[in-house]
Amino acid sequence: MIAYDLQCGNGHQFEGWFEDSQTFDRQKKQGMIACPVCEDTGVFKLPSTFAIKGSSGALSLKPGETADMAALGKKIVDYVQNNFDNVGADFAEEALKMHYGVSEPRSIRGVSTPKEEETLKAEGVRFFKFPLPSDPDVS
């Protein structure tokens, strides 16, 4: 899933969630995205700010700013490793348990197969998938 900050031609700002950027493009072209305030379909994406906050402070990027991408990547990896339970290959099973209230919600990380990911999507479980760099110390 991807979230975009959107604005209509009348200046109303709102957020939209899409499966991917192609879904946004297709829905915009078909006039399926409308402002929730005035129903204007002349919607466009706004540049957005994002930040990663951890115990050592925050790193934020705004449109037009540059940052050391390696440092940003390291902060993301460190945050995930320090704040998410690693459930390994049981990711899909654990996510479904939390989704249906069998276990307490918590931040988890792990791996899943494409078939498991399809099951999660079909069940309405929201998850975010991103690659973690391999540890250079591991041979």
Side-chain angles (χ1 to χ4, degrees):
M1 293 294 278
I2 189 166
Y4 289 124
D5 292 324
L6 305 173
Q7 184 172 322
C8 75
N10 295 315
H12 301 120
Q13 294 183 9
F14 56 100
E15 184 177 87
W17 287 76
F18 303 90
E19 185 70 28
D20 52 33
S21 62
Q22 293 83 15
T23 301
F24 169 82
D25 293 338
R26 186 185 79 251
Q27 289 182 3
K28 179 177 168 46
K29 185 176 180 179
Q30 294 174 349
M32 296 173 64
I33 304 169
C35 173
V37 176
C38 65
E39 299 183 11
D40 179 23
T41 58
V43 172
F44 57 93
K45 291 187 262 185
L46 292 171
S48 62
T49 300
F50 72 90
I52 299 166
K53 187 171 189 306
S55 59
S56 63
L59 173 64
S60 68
L61 293 177
K62 295 182 176 137
E65 288 184 342
T66 60
D68 180 354
M69 288 292 126
L72 175 61
K74 181 165 179 14
K75 281 198 177 266
I76 292 170
V77 170
D78 289 347
Y79 183 83
V80 170
Q81 288 177 338
N82 293 325
N83 294 284
F84 287 61
D85 291 338
N86 187 356
V87 295
D90 294 330
F91 179 82
E93 181 181 338
E94 290 298 316
L96 285 167
K97 285 181 185 178
M98 288 186 292
H99 182 71
Y100 287 110
V102 175
S103 64
E104 289 295 316
R106 67 191 194 284
S107 297
I108 62 171
R109 63 185 170 102
V111 296
S112 56
T113 66
K115 185 174 181 175
E116 289 171 329
E117 291 167 12
E118 287 301 317
T119 299
L120 291 174
K121 287 178 188 176
E123 294 295 320
V125 177
R126 298 169 91 186
F127 63 95
F128 181 75
K129 185 176 165 179
F130 66 95
L132 290 176
S134 59
D135 188 344
D137 297 332
V138 177
S139 48

